[in-house]
Structure formats: C-alpha cells, structure tokens
Amino acid sequence: SGYIAIIGRPNVGKSTLINRILGQKLCITSRRPQTTRHRILGIKTTDKGQFIYVDTPGMHSDGKKAMNRYMNRAAAASIDDVDVVLFVVEGLKWTEDDQRVLKRIQQDARSPVILVLNKADKLSDKSDLLPQIQELAPQYDFAAVVPISARKGMNTDVLEQEIAKLMPEGEMIFD
Ligand code: GDP
C-alpha cells in the first residue's frame, strides 16, 4: 500500500489519467477521506495492496512571488511523504514550466519520480519521443519514463506496473 502524487501543468491530462486508472474502482466519491497534506483522488485496491492517488494543490512553477514561494514549499513538503510522484507532461510539449516544477520536485523531495509522457496517441511516430526522452532522462533521476495515452488507455497498464514496483509492502490503510 502506498501514496502516489500526481503533478503536472493544467490540461496535460491528469484527470483523464486518474479516471482511466481508477475506472470503476473509484471507491470513494462523495466523502473523500482527507489526510493533512493531501486531497485523495481515489483508491485502487489490488492484490499488491492499496494505491492511494492524491493531488498536490499549490504546486506552482512561478517562484517569483512570495506567496508562490510559500506554497511551493508546502507543495514540496507534501510530495516528500508520498511513495511515488507521477510527473505528467504532454509527450512532445516539454515546457520551461515543466522544467522548473521538476527541478523543484527533485531539489525538495526525495520521492522517486516517474515521468509520464501523456497524449502519445497524438504522435505520428513513437520514435518522435525518443530524442526528447534521451535528452531528459539523464539530467533527472527518473525511476521510469512511460509514454501513455490516458484518453485511449494506451500503456497505462505499464505505468501501473512501474508504480507497483515502487510501492512499499504493507497493510491496508482504508477499508
Ligand atoms: P488536467 O487539467 O491535467 O486534469 O487535464 P484533463 O484530464 O482535464 O485533460 C485535458 C484535455 O486533454 C482534455 O480535453 C482531455 O480529453 C485531453 N487528453 C487527456 N489525455 C489525453 C490523451 O492521452 N490524448 C489526447 N489526445 N488527449 C488527451
């Protein structure tokens, strides 16, 4: 059982991904249990334990304003105590914003990060991704790099396997 944080710019497909992964298994809808630091998006119970998906409000990339700095620190602290961070980007749209957020995550948190390259269905050729991945992966210490299509459900099973590898063994947290 463990916690998985989902982070990424608006519109990269985080909600679509969470709906795809949780599907009918979204067992908590109206009254979501809250932890101090996270908003729980949903829990998936599998034979490997419970996968608790949370979001991290206030993870802004703009560190210029004092308020944002404060919120960035809170956000960084909140991702420090999850077991895995899913950093979701659009396959071919790697922005400076993404870069800034990723730097913050890796400076301030020790959690392993999986780079999720979403909207892979938009690519004419999957090899379009390779140069970008090869450029990025060595600079950052990713636990895995997984191209997916949240909308079409492509490769999300592989993503879930990568997540499972990083989950600690343990008893159920919610029942
Ligand atoms: P969020 O703001 O990160 O939660 O993003 P959403 O899940 O709301 O998705 C933003 C838009 O991207 C929506 O129009 C989705 O249908 C679209 N989208 C999400 N995943 C994919 C994908 O894998 N492929 C394509 N082509 N579009 C996607």
Side-chain angles (χ1 to χ4, degrees):
S1 295
Y3 287 84
I4 303 132
I6 303 198
I7 287 169
R9 284 184 291 112
N11 249 29
V12 291
K14 299 182 296 297
S15 317
T16 311
L17 174 60
I18 205 73
N19 288 335
R20 172 66 66 180
I21 288 176
L22 295 172
Q24 306 290 36
K25 302 228 161 127
L26 183 59
C27 55
I28 293 156
T29 48
S30 54
R31 289 190 179 210
R32 294 173 181 157
Q34 307 299 308
T35 66
T36 4
R37 282 177 160 169
H38 305 290
R39 192 164 66 94
I40 293 181
L41 300 169
I43 301 170
K44 186 166 179 174
T45 302
T46 73
D47 54 359
K48 295 214 171 78
Q50 284 174 320
F51 293 57
I52 303 149
Y53 288 87
V54 300
D55 78 355
T56 302
M59 191 74 200
H60 300 296
S61 61
D62 180 8
K64 282 175 212 141
K65 294 189 187 121
M67 186 58 180
N68 275 347
R69 265 204 299 278
Y70 174 79
M71 291 189 56
N72 279 338
R73 219 164 314 158
S78 82
I79 59 172
D80 207 14
D81 54 19
V82 297
D83 301 291
V84 189
V85 175
L86 298 187
F87 187 64
V88 185
V89 301
E90 277 195 45
L92 280 177
K93 282 198 208 157
W94 178 256
T95 68
E96 285 187 7
D97 242 31
D98 290 327
Q99 187 132 346
R100 274 195 289 270
V101 171
L102 190 54
K103 274 204 182 115
R104 286 206 63 87
I105 296 170
Q106 300 218 309
Q107 268 168 22
D108 300 344
R110 286 171 294 270
S111 317
V113 178
I114 296 178
L115 179 64
V116 180
L117 301 162
N118 191 29
K119 309 198 185 181
D121 58 293
K122 280 184 166 179
L123 305 175
S124 50
D125 184 351
K126 224 174 165 184
S127 65
D128 285 354
L129 275 172
L130 285 177
Q132 288 224 351
I133 294 171
Q134 280 165 354
E135 208 176 296
L136 283 172
Q139 287 177 48
Y140 302 98
D141 192 18
F142 295 119
V145 180
V146 189
I148 64 158
S149 169
R151 189 191 267 173
K152 303 225 157 133
M154 269 166 48
N155 229 29
T156 52
D157 52 338
V158 173
L159 176 60
E160 288 187 81
Q161 285 160 23
E162 292 294 340
I163 293 168
K165 285 184 198 165
L166 299 163
M167 290 285 110
E169 308 261 324
E171 65 213 58
M172 301 289 181
I173 297 167
F174 299 103
D175 59 329

PDB file of all heavy atoms in Angstrom, residues 6-19 88 90 117-123 148-154 156, ligand 1:
ATOM      1  N   ILE A   6       0.058  13.007  -8.073  1.00  0.00           N
ATOM      2  CA  ILE A   6       0.005  13.338  -9.498  1.00  0.00           C
ATOM      3  C   ILE A   6       0.221  14.833  -9.669  1.00  0.00           C
ATOM      4  O   ILE A   6      -0.507  15.648  -9.096  1.00  0.00           O
ATOM      5  CB  ILE A   6      -1.360  12.952 -10.101  1.00  0.00           C
ATOM      6  CG1 ILE A   6      -1.596  11.468  -9.871  1.00  0.00           C
ATOM      7  CG2 ILE A   6      -1.389  13.284 -11.588  1.00  0.00           C
ATOM      8  CD1 ILE A   6      -2.649  10.890 -10.742  1.00  0.00           C
ATOM      9  N   ILE A   7       1.249  15.156 -10.435  1.00  0.00           N
ATOM     10  CA  ILE A   7       1.647  16.545 -10.614  1.00  0.00           C
ATOM     11  C   ILE A   7       1.787  16.833 -12.104  1.00  0.00           C
ATOM     12  O   ILE A   7       2.214  15.966 -12.873  1.00  0.00           O
ATOM     13  CB  ILE A   7       2.977  16.792  -9.871  1.00  0.00           C
ATOM     14  CG1 ILE A   7       2.720  16.811  -8.366  1.00  0.00           C
ATOM     15  CG2 ILE A   7       3.648  18.083 -10.308  1.00  0.00           C
ATOM     16  CD1 ILE A   7       3.967  16.786  -7.552  1.00  0.00           C
ATOM     17  N   GLY A   8       1.441  18.038 -12.500  1.00  0.00           N
ATOM     18  CA  GLY A   8       1.630  18.432 -13.894  1.00  0.00           C
ATOM     19  C   GLY A   8       0.837  19.683 -14.195  1.00  0.00           C
ATOM     20  O   GLY A   8      -0.118  20.003 -13.483  1.00  0.00           O
ATOM     21  N   ARG A   9       1.227  20.377 -15.248  1.00  0.00           N
ATOM     22  CA  ARG A   9       0.542  21.601 -15.678  1.00  0.00           C
ATOM     23  C   ARG A   9      -0.938  21.301 -15.940  1.00  0.00           C
ATOM     24  O   ARG A   9      -1.299  20.171 -16.231  1.00  0.00           O
ATOM     25  CB  ARG A   9       1.152  22.122 -16.984  1.00  0.00           C
ATOM     26  CG  ARG A   9       2.484  22.802 -16.827  1.00  0.00           C
ATOM     27  CD  ARG A   9       2.949  23.371 -18.155  1.00  0.00           C
ATOM     28  NE  ARG A   9       3.318  22.357 -19.129  1.00  0.00           N
ATOM     29  CZ  ARG A   9       2.653  22.101 -20.248  1.00  0.00           C
ATOM     30  NH1 ARG A   9       1.564  22.768 -20.567  1.00  0.00           N
ATOM     31  NH2 ARG A   9       3.083  21.174 -21.083  1.00  0.00           N
ATOM     32  N   PRO A  10      -1.768  22.355 -15.876  1.00  0.00           N
ATOM     33  CA  PRO A  10      -3.165  22.169 -16.257  1.00  0.00           C
ATOM     34  C   PRO A  10      -3.247  21.648 -17.688  1.00  0.00           C
ATOM     35  O   PRO A  10      -2.410  22.016 -18.521  1.00  0.00           O
ATOM     36  CB  PRO A  10      -3.761  23.591 -16.194  1.00  0.00           C
ATOM     37  CG  PRO A  10      -2.857  24.356 -15.291  1.00  0.00           C
ATOM     38  CD  PRO A  10      -1.493  23.748 -15.445  1.00  0.00           C
ATOM     39  N   ASN A  11      -4.220  20.771 -17.916  1.00  0.00           N
ATOM     40  CA  ASN A  11      -4.501  20.322 -19.284  1.00  0.00           C
ATOM     41  C   ASN A  11      -3.576  19.245 -19.854  1.00  0.00           C
ATOM     42  O   ASN A  11      -3.704  18.903 -21.021  1.00  0.00           O
ATOM     43  CB  ASN A  11      -4.491  21.517 -20.250  1.00  0.00           C
ATOM     44  CG  ASN A  11      -5.884  21.780 -20.757  1.00  0.00           C
ATOM     45  OD1 ASN A  11      -6.853  21.495 -20.051  1.00  0.00           O
ATOM     46  ND2 ASN A  11      -5.994  22.275 -21.964  1.00  0.00           N
ATOM     47  N   VAL A  12      -2.659  18.755 -19.061  1.00  0.00           N
ATOM     48  CA  VAL A  12      -1.795  17.682 -19.581  1.00  0.00           C
ATOM     49  C   VAL A  12      -2.505  16.329 -19.543  1.00  0.00           C
ATOM     50  O   VAL A  12      -2.047  15.362 -20.151  1.00  0.00           O
ATOM     51  CB  VAL A  12      -0.443  17.575 -18.827  1.00  0.00           C
ATOM     52  CG1 VAL A  12       0.424  18.785 -19.113  1.00  0.00           C
ATOM     53  CG2 VAL A  12      -0.650  17.372 -17.340  1.00  0.00           C
ATOM     54  N   GLY A  13      -3.636  16.263 -18.802  1.00  0.00           N
ATOM     55  CA  GLY A  13      -4.415  15.018 -18.794  1.00  0.00           C
ATOM     56  C   GLY A  13      -4.399  14.266 -17.472  1.00  0.00           C
ATOM     57  O   GLY A  13      -4.619  13.056 -17.442  1.00  0.00           O
ATOM     58  N   LYS A  14      -4.184  14.977 -16.383  1.00  0.00           N
ATOM     59  CA  LYS A  14      -4.124  14.324 -15.067  1.00  0.00           C
ATOM     60  C   LYS A  14      -5.462  13.676 -14.690  1.00  0.00           C
ATOM     61  O   LYS A  14      -5.499  12.537 -14.244  1.00  0.00           O
ATOM     62  CB  LYS A  14      -3.702  15.333 -13.987  1.00  0.00           C
ATOM     63  CG  LYS A  14      -2.324  15.933 -14.214  1.00  0.00           C
ATOM     64  CD  LYS A  14      -1.930  16.891 -13.114  1.00  0.00           C
ATOM     65  CE  LYS A  14      -2.828  18.121 -13.031  1.00  0.00           C
ATOM     66  NZ  LYS A  14      -2.804  18.980 -14.228  1.00  0.00           N
ATOM     67  N   SER A  15      -6.551  14.429 -14.883  1.00  0.00           N
ATOM     68  CA  SER A  15      -7.872  13.876 -14.525  1.00  0.00           C
ATOM     69  C   SER A  15      -8.218  12.691 -15.406  1.00  0.00           C
ATOM     70  O   SER A  15      -8.757  11.689 -14.926  1.00  0.00           O
ATOM     71  CB  SER A  15      -8.979  14.929 -14.682  1.00  0.00           C
ATOM     72  OG  SER A  15      -8.569  16.149 -14.186  1.00  0.00           O
ATOM     73  N   THR A  16      -7.905  12.813 -16.680  1.00  0.00           N
ATOM     74  CA  THR A  16      -8.179  11.715 -17.611  1.00  0.00           C
ATOM     75  C   THR A  16      -7.411  10.471 -17.181  1.00  0.00           C
ATOM     76  O   THR A  16      -7.944   9.365 -17.198  1.00  0.00           O
ATOM     77  CB  THR A  16      -7.778  12.116 -19.047  1.00  0.00           C
ATOM     78  OG1 THR A  16      -8.347  13.400 -19.342  1.00  0.00           O
ATOM     79  CG2 THR A  16      -8.270  11.098 -20.069  1.00  0.00           C
ATOM     80  N   LEU A  17      -6.167  10.662 -16.772  1.00  0.00           N
ATOM     81  CA  LEU A  17      -5.344   9.537 -16.334  1.00  0.00           C
ATOM     82  C   LEU A  17      -5.918   8.895 -15.076  1.00  0.00           C
ATOM     83  O   LEU A  17      -6.026   7.665 -14.998  1.00  0.00           O
ATOM     84  CB  LEU A  17      -3.897  10.007 -16.084  1.00  0.00           C
ATOM     85  CG  LEU A  17      -2.959   8.962 -15.476  1.00  0.00           C
ATOM     86  CD1 LEU A  17      -2.820   7.733 -16.368  1.00  0.00           C
ATOM     87  CD2 LEU A  17      -1.585   9.563 -15.190  1.00  0.00           C
ATOM     88  N   ILE A  18      -6.303   9.725 -14.127  1.00  0.00           N
ATOM     89  CA  ILE A  18      -6.806   9.175 -12.868  1.00  0.00           C
ATOM     90  C   ILE A  18      -8.115   8.426 -13.119  1.00  0.00           C
ATOM     91  O   ILE A  18      -8.342   7.347 -12.563  1.00  0.00           O
ATOM     92  CB  ILE A  18      -6.929  10.272 -11.774  1.00  0.00           C
ATOM     93  CG1 ILE A  18      -6.853   9.653 -10.393  1.00  0.00           C
ATOM     94  CG2 ILE A  18      -8.173  11.088 -11.865  1.00  0.00           C
ATOM     95  CD1 ILE A  18      -5.480   9.206 -10.031  1.00  0.00           C
ATOM     96  N   ASN A  19      -8.958   8.955 -13.977  1.00  0.00           N
ATOM     97  CA  ASN A  19     -10.203   8.253 -14.308  1.00  0.00           C
ATOM     98  C   ASN A  19      -9.913   6.943 -15.007  1.00  0.00           C
ATOM     99  O   ASN A  19     -10.580   5.941 -14.770  1.00  0.00           O
ATOM    100  CB  ASN A  19     -11.095   9.126 -15.195  1.00  0.00           C
ATOM    101  CG  ASN A  19     -11.704  10.267 -14.410  1.00  0.00           C
ATOM    102  OD1 ASN A  19     -11.856  10.178 -13.196  1.00  0.00           O
ATOM    103  ND2 ASN A  19     -12.036  11.341 -15.098  1.00  0.00           N
ATOM    104  N   VAL A  88       3.368  14.380 -14.849  1.00  0.00           N
ATOM    105  CA  VAL A  88       2.703  14.202 -16.142  1.00  0.00           C
ATOM    106  C   VAL A  88       3.001  15.397 -17.047  1.00  0.00           C
ATOM    107  O   VAL A  88       2.819  16.553 -16.649  1.00  0.00           O
ATOM    108  CB  VAL A  88       1.167  14.054 -15.955  1.00  0.00           C
ATOM    109  CG1 VAL A  88       0.498  13.738 -17.294  1.00  0.00           C
ATOM    110  CG2 VAL A  88       0.847  12.969 -14.930  1.00  0.00           C
ATOM    111  N   GLU A  90       2.886  16.623 -21.469  1.00  0.00           N
ATOM    112  CA  GLU A  90       2.421  16.237 -22.799  1.00  0.00           C
ATOM    113  C   GLU A  90       3.623  15.762 -23.591  1.00  0.00           C
ATOM    114  O   GLU A  90       4.630  16.462 -23.658  1.00  0.00           O
ATOM    115  CB  GLU A  90       1.770  17.422 -23.511  1.00  0.00           C
ATOM    116  CG  GLU A  90       0.336  17.624 -23.108  1.00  0.00           C
ATOM    117  CD  GLU A  90      -0.382  18.549 -24.075  1.00  0.00           C
ATOM    118  OE1 GLU A  90      -0.220  18.386 -25.299  1.00  0.00           O
ATOM    119  OE2 GLU A  90      -1.100  19.428 -23.580  1.00  0.00           O
ATOM    120  N   LEU A 117       4.718  10.586 -20.066  1.00  0.00           N
ATOM    121  CA  LEU A 117       4.579  11.349 -21.296  1.00  0.00           C
ATOM    122  C   LEU A 117       3.203  11.050 -21.877  1.00  0.00           C
ATOM    123  O   LEU A 117       3.006  10.037 -22.549  1.00  0.00           O
ATOM    124  CB  LEU A 117       5.685  10.957 -22.281  1.00  0.00           C
ATOM    125  CG  LEU A 117       7.112  11.162 -21.777  1.00  0.00           C
ATOM    126  CD1 LEU A 117       8.111  10.366 -22.592  1.00  0.00           C
ATOM    127  CD2 LEU A 117       7.499  12.643 -21.790  1.00  0.00           C
ATOM    128  N   ASN A 118       2.253  11.929 -21.578  1.00  0.00           N
ATOM    129  CA  ASN A 118       0.871  11.664 -21.988  1.00  0.00           C
ATOM    130  C   ASN A 118       0.605  12.163 -23.412  1.00  0.00           C
ATOM    131  O   ASN A 118       1.403  12.882 -23.979  1.00  0.00           O
ATOM    132  CB  ASN A 118      -0.100  12.312 -20.998  1.00  0.00           C
ATOM    133  CG  ASN A 118      -1.525  11.853 -21.206  1.00  0.00           C
ATOM    134  OD1 ASN A 118      -1.754  10.720 -21.666  1.00  0.00           O
ATOM    135  ND2 ASN A 118      -2.494  12.692 -20.902  1.00  0.00           N
ATOM    136  N   LYS A 119      -0.541  11.761 -23.923  1.00  0.00           N
ATOM    137  CA  LYS A 119      -1.005  12.135 -25.268  1.00  0.00           C
ATOM    138  C   LYS A 119      -0.102  11.558 -26.350  1.00  0.00           C
ATOM    139  O   LYS A 119       0.107  12.168 -27.402  1.00  0.00           O
ATOM    140  CB  LYS A 119      -1.165  13.658 -25.411  1.00  0.00           C
ATOM    141  CG  LYS A 119      -1.994  14.261 -24.277  1.00  0.00           C
ATOM    142  CD  LYS A 119      -2.543  15.636 -24.575  1.00  0.00           C
ATOM    143  CE  LYS A 119      -3.257  16.200 -23.333  1.00  0.00           C
ATOM    144  NZ  LYS A 119      -3.853  17.522 -23.540  1.00  0.00           N
ATOM    145  N   ALA A 120       0.443  10.371 -26.062  1.00  0.00           N
ATOM    146  CA  ALA A 120       1.312   9.709 -27.041  1.00  0.00           C
ATOM    147  C   ALA A 120       0.531   9.357 -28.306  1.00  0.00           C
ATOM    148  O   ALA A 120       1.123   9.173 -29.371  1.00  0.00           O
ATOM    149  CB  ALA A 120       1.930   8.452 -26.427  1.00  0.00           C
ATOM    150  N   ASP A 121      -0.816   9.286 -28.194  1.00  0.00           N
ATOM    151  CA  ASP A 121      -1.631   8.996 -29.386  1.00  0.00           C
ATOM    152  C   ASP A 121      -1.543  10.102 -30.431  1.00  0.00           C
ATOM    153  O   ASP A 121      -1.849   9.891 -31.600  1.00  0.00           O
ATOM    154  CB  ASP A 121      -3.091   8.785 -28.970  1.00  0.00           C
ATOM    155  CG  ASP A 121      -3.670   9.984 -28.241  1.00  0.00           C
ATOM    156  OD1 ASP A 121      -3.222  10.268 -27.109  1.00  0.00           O
ATOM    157  OD2 ASP A 121      -4.551  10.654 -28.779  1.00  0.00           O
ATOM    158  N   LYS A 122      -1.122  11.294 -29.995  1.00  0.00           N
ATOM    159  CA  LYS A 122      -1.012  12.419 -30.928  1.00  0.00           C
ATOM    160  C   LYS A 122       0.238  12.338 -31.792  1.00  0.00           C
ATOM    161  O   LYS A 122       0.380  13.075 -32.765  1.00  0.00           O
ATOM    162  CB  LYS A 122      -0.971  13.743 -30.153  1.00  0.00           C
ATOM    163  CG  LYS A 122      -2.314  14.258 -29.701  1.00  0.00           C
ATOM    164  CD  LYS A 122      -2.076  15.601 -29.058  1.00  0.00           C
ATOM    165  CE  LYS A 122      -3.343  16.404 -28.840  1.00  0.00           C
ATOM    166  NZ  LYS A 122      -2.974  17.683 -28.190  1.00  0.00           N
ATOM    167  N   LEU A 123       1.153  11.483 -31.381  1.00  0.00           N
ATOM    168  CA  LEU A 123       2.401  11.400 -32.128  1.00  0.00           C
ATOM    169  C   LEU A 123       2.201  10.529 -33.358  1.00  0.00           C
ATOM    170  O   LEU A 123       1.617   9.451 -33.273  1.00  0.00           O
ATOM    171  CB  LEU A 123       3.493  10.777 -31.256  1.00  0.00           C
ATOM    172  CG  LEU A 123       3.751  11.455 -29.918  1.00  0.00           C
ATOM    173  CD1 LEU A 123       4.773  10.659 -29.129  1.00  0.00           C
ATOM    174  CD2 LEU A 123       4.220  12.870 -30.123  1.00  0.00           C
ATOM    175  N   ILE A 148       2.308   7.297 -22.517  1.00  0.00           N
ATOM    176  CA  ILE A 148       0.954   6.722 -22.418  1.00  0.00           C
ATOM    177  C   ILE A 148      -0.034   7.561 -23.223  1.00  0.00           C
ATOM    178  O   ILE A 148       0.281   8.684 -23.649  1.00  0.00           O
ATOM    179  CB  ILE A 148       0.430   6.694 -20.957  1.00  0.00           C
ATOM    180  CG1 ILE A 148       0.282   8.114 -20.398  1.00  0.00           C
ATOM    181  CG2 ILE A 148       1.318   5.855 -20.058  1.00  0.00           C
ATOM    182  CD1 ILE A 148      -0.683   8.217 -19.236  1.00  0.00           C
ATOM    183  N   SER A 149      -1.212   7.022 -23.432  1.00  0.00           N
ATOM    184  CA  SER A 149      -2.356   7.843 -23.799  1.00  0.00           C
ATOM    185  C   SER A 149      -3.445   7.580 -22.771  1.00  0.00           C
ATOM    186  O   SER A 149      -4.028   6.501 -22.741  1.00  0.00           O
ATOM    187  CB  SER A 149      -2.869   7.512 -25.204  1.00  0.00           C
ATOM    188  OG  SER A 149      -4.127   8.166 -25.386  1.00  0.00           O
ATOM    189  N   ALA A 150      -3.668   8.577 -21.925  1.00  0.00           N
ATOM    190  CA  ALA A 150      -4.696   8.431 -20.889  1.00  0.00           C
ATOM    191  C   ALA A 150      -6.063   8.298 -21.550  1.00  0.00           C
ATOM    192  O   ALA A 150      -6.905   7.528 -21.121  1.00  0.00           O
ATOM    193  CB  ALA A 150      -4.663   9.620 -19.944  1.00  0.00           C
ATOM    194  N   ARG A 151      -6.260   9.047 -22.630  1.00  0.00           N
ATOM    195  CA  ARG A 151      -7.575   9.054 -23.283  1.00  0.00           C
ATOM    196  C   ARG A 151      -7.881   7.703 -23.923  1.00  0.00           C
ATOM    197  O   ARG A 151      -8.982   7.197 -23.810  1.00  0.00           O
ATOM    198  CB  ARG A 151      -7.625  10.162 -24.329  1.00  0.00           C
ATOM    199  CG  ARG A 151      -9.031  10.364 -24.876  1.00  0.00           C
ATOM    200  CD  ARG A 151      -9.022  11.263 -26.075  1.00  0.00           C
ATOM    201  NE  ARG A 151      -9.258  12.660 -25.705  1.00  0.00           N
ATOM    202  CZ  ARG A 151      -9.167  13.667 -26.576  1.00  0.00           C
ATOM    203  NH1 ARG A 151      -8.822  13.430 -27.818  1.00  0.00           N
ATOM    204  NH2 ARG A 151      -9.417  14.901 -26.193  1.00  0.00           N
ATOM    205  N   LYS A 152      -6.889   7.123 -24.583  1.00  0.00           N
ATOM    206  CA  LYS A 152      -7.126   5.858 -25.281  1.00  0.00           C
ATOM    207  C   LYS A 152      -6.788   4.631 -24.429  1.00  0.00           C
ATOM    208  O   LYS A 152      -7.029   3.499 -24.845  1.00  0.00           O
ATOM    209  CB  LYS A 152      -6.280   5.814 -26.560  1.00  0.00           C
ATOM    210  CG  LYS A 152      -6.562   6.978 -27.491  1.00  0.00           C
ATOM    211  CD  LYS A 152      -6.714   6.547 -28.918  1.00  0.00           C
ATOM    212  CE  LYS A 152      -7.528   7.567 -29.684  1.00  0.00           C
ATOM    213  NZ  LYS A 152      -6.934   7.923 -30.972  1.00  0.00           N
ATOM    214  N   GLY A 153      -6.205   4.863 -23.264  1.00  0.00           N
ATOM    215  CA  GLY A 153      -5.844   3.750 -22.397  1.00  0.00           C
ATOM    216  C   GLY A 153      -4.614   2.993 -22.883  1.00  0.00           C
ATOM    217  O   GLY A 153      -4.421   1.838 -22.542  1.00  0.00           O
ATOM    218  N   MET A 154      -3.785   3.672 -23.668  1.00  0.00           N
ATOM    219  CA  MET A 154      -2.567   3.040 -24.175  1.00  0.00           C
ATOM    220  C   MET A 154      -1.477   3.046 -23.112  1.00  0.00           C
ATOM    221  O   MET A 154      -1.137   4.114 -22.587  1.00  0.00           O
ATOM    222  CB  MET A 154      -2.018   3.818 -25.383  1.00  0.00           C
ATOM    223  CG  MET A 154      -2.506   3.370 -26.741  1.00  0.00           C
ATOM    224  SD  MET A 154      -2.077   4.659 -27.979  1.00  0.00           S
ATOM    225  CE  MET A 154      -0.344   4.968 -27.580  1.00  0.00           C
ATOM    226  N   THR A 156      -1.227   2.380 -20.096  1.00  0.00           N
ATOM    227  CA  THR A 156      -1.455   2.745 -18.696  1.00  0.00           C
ATOM    228  C   THR A 156      -1.226   1.533 -17.784  1.00  0.00           C
ATOM    229  O   THR A 156      -0.901   1.700 -16.613  1.00  0.00           O
ATOM    230  CB  THR A 156      -2.874   3.329 -18.467  1.00  0.00           C
ATOM    231  OG1 THR A 156      -3.829   2.432 -19.019  1.00  0.00           O
ATOM    232  CG2 THR A 156      -3.018   4.690 -19.111  1.00  0.00           C
TER     233      THR A 156
HETATM  234  P1  GDP B   1      -5.778  18.069 -16.373  1.00  0.00           P
HETATM  235  O1  GDP B   1      -6.069  19.529 -16.322  1.00  0.00           O
HETATM  236  O2  GDP B   1      -4.303  17.820 -16.298  1.00  0.00           O
HETATM  237  O3  GDP B   1      -6.543  17.266 -15.369  1.00  0.00           O
HETATM  238  O4  GDP B   1      -6.200  17.570 -17.842  1.00  0.00           O
HETATM  239  P2  GDP B   1      -7.532  16.810 -18.331  1.00  0.00           P
HETATM  240  O5  GDP B   1      -7.538  15.405 -17.874  1.00  0.00           O
HETATM  241  O6  GDP B   1      -8.702  17.645 -17.974  1.00  0.00           O
HETATM  242  O7  GDP B   1      -7.311  16.785 -19.909  1.00  0.00           O
HETATM  243  C1  GDP B   1      -7.163  17.984 -20.668  1.00  0.00           C
HETATM  244  C2  GDP B   1      -7.533  17.717 -22.108  1.00  0.00           C
HETATM  245  O8  GDP B   1      -6.600  16.811 -22.704  1.00  0.00           O
HETATM  246  C3  GDP B   1      -8.912  17.068 -22.261  1.00  0.00           C
HETATM  247  O9  GDP B   1      -9.529  17.627 -23.395  1.00  0.00           O
HETATM  248  C4  GDP B   1      -8.579  15.607 -22.468  1.00  0.00           C
HETATM  249  O10 GDP B   1      -9.568  14.920 -23.204  1.00  0.00           O
HETATM  250  C5  GDP B   1      -7.282  15.698 -23.238  1.00  0.00           C
HETATM  251  N1  GDP B   1      -6.459  14.480 -23.068  1.00  0.00           N
HETATM  252  C6  GDP B   1      -6.163  13.850 -21.912  1.00  0.00           C
HETATM  253  N2  GDP B   1      -5.412  12.757 -22.133  1.00  0.00           N
HETATM  254  C7  GDP B   1      -5.223  12.674 -23.475  1.00  0.00           C
HETATM  255  C8  GDP B   1      -4.532  11.757 -24.323  1.00  0.00           C
HETATM  256  O11 GDP B   1      -3.928  10.767 -23.905  1.00  0.00           O
HETATM  257  N3  GDP B   1      -4.556  12.030 -25.665  1.00  0.00           N
HETATM  258  C9  GDP B   1      -5.208  13.110 -26.168  1.00  0.00           C
HETATM  259  N4  GDP B   1      -5.166  13.273 -27.500  1.00  0.00           N
HETATM  260  N5  GDP B   1      -5.865  13.982 -25.404  1.00  0.00           N
HETATM  261  C10 GDP B   1      -5.888  13.777 -24.071  1.00  0.00           C
END
